[in-house]
């Protein structure tokens, strides 16, 4: 019985990583963001997001608990795009693990995508 659980955990973890990679690839070409912006009612460009759009983005991304910190600190899209790694790790009073994931897998890619889209 225990062996089965171990194998399941390995399969589950292995499947998460490719999804993150695919997700980031889709964001690079813009297709995922355009689709999500229509589905979630958010403007395609994060610079145009209101505080509620930012909060909903992180709720949808699986950070239900941490999303309220963006609300409390009144982080809108423009603020989100200006955030540094240190801002996310210390300024939002989040636990370190989720804060690192939020910055690396969400804030940083959104900033990169915004810069790419606006430098064309």
């Amino acid at each position: 019985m225990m062996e089965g659980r171990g194998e399941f955990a390995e399969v589950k973890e292995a499947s998460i990583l490719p999804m993150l990679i695919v997700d980031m690839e889709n964001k690079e070409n813009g297709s995922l963001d355009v689709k999500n912006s229509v589905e979630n009612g958010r403007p395609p460009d994060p610079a145009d997001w209101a505080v509620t759009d930012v909060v909903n983005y992180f709720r949808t991304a699986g950070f239900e608990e941490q999303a309220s910190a963006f609300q409390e600190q009144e982080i809108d899209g423009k603020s989100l795009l200006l955030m540094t790694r240190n801002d996310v790790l210390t300024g939002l009073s989040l636990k370190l693990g989720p804060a690192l994931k939020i910055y690396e897998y969400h804030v940083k890619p959104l900033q990169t995508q915004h810069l790419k889209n606006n430098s064309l």
Side-chain angles (χ1 to χ4, degrees):
M1 196 65 128
M2 290 297 235
E3 279 182 36
R5 284 187 186 168
E7 288 171 23
F8 179 72
E10 287 175 31
V11 170
K12 185 178 175 191
E13 285 181 31
S15 68
I16 290 173
L17 187 58
M19 281 173 34
L20 287 174
I21 291 166
V22 167
D23 187 39
M24 290 174 89
E25 284 173 2
N26 283 342
K27 281 186 180 177
E28 295 273 327
N29 70 25
S31 64
L32 185 70
D33 277 340
V34 171
K35 191 172 87 177
N36 276 350
S37 68
V38 171
E39 286 174 9
N40 298 317
R42 279 191 304 270
D45 186 355
D48 299 328
W49 291 0
V51 174
T52 52
D53 294 321
V54 173
V55 171
N56 289 334
Y57 171 82
F58 286 106
R59 283 195 176 129
T60 325
F63 295 99
E64 182 69 39
E65 242 180 84
Q66 294 77 16
S68 60
F70 290 88
Q71 178 78 53
E72 289 163 17
Q73 295 297 323
E74 299 176 8
I75 305 293
D76 62 5
K78 285 185 175 69
S79 301
L80 184 71
L81 294 173
L82 292 170
M83 291 185 87
T84 64
R85 183 175 186 270
N86 194 48
D87 291 332
V88 177
L89 296 186
T90 61
L92 297 173
S93 302
L94 300 175
K95 289 184 179 176
L96 184 58
L100 287 166
K101 290 175 189 162
I102 285 170
Y103 180 73
E104 286 298 320
Y105 299 127
H106 297 282
V107 175
K108 200 162 121 178
L110 284 170
Q111 291 170 340
T112 304
Q113 174 202 334
H114 175 76
L115 286 172
K116 270 187 189 175
N117 290 346
N118 287 294
S119 65
L120 297 175

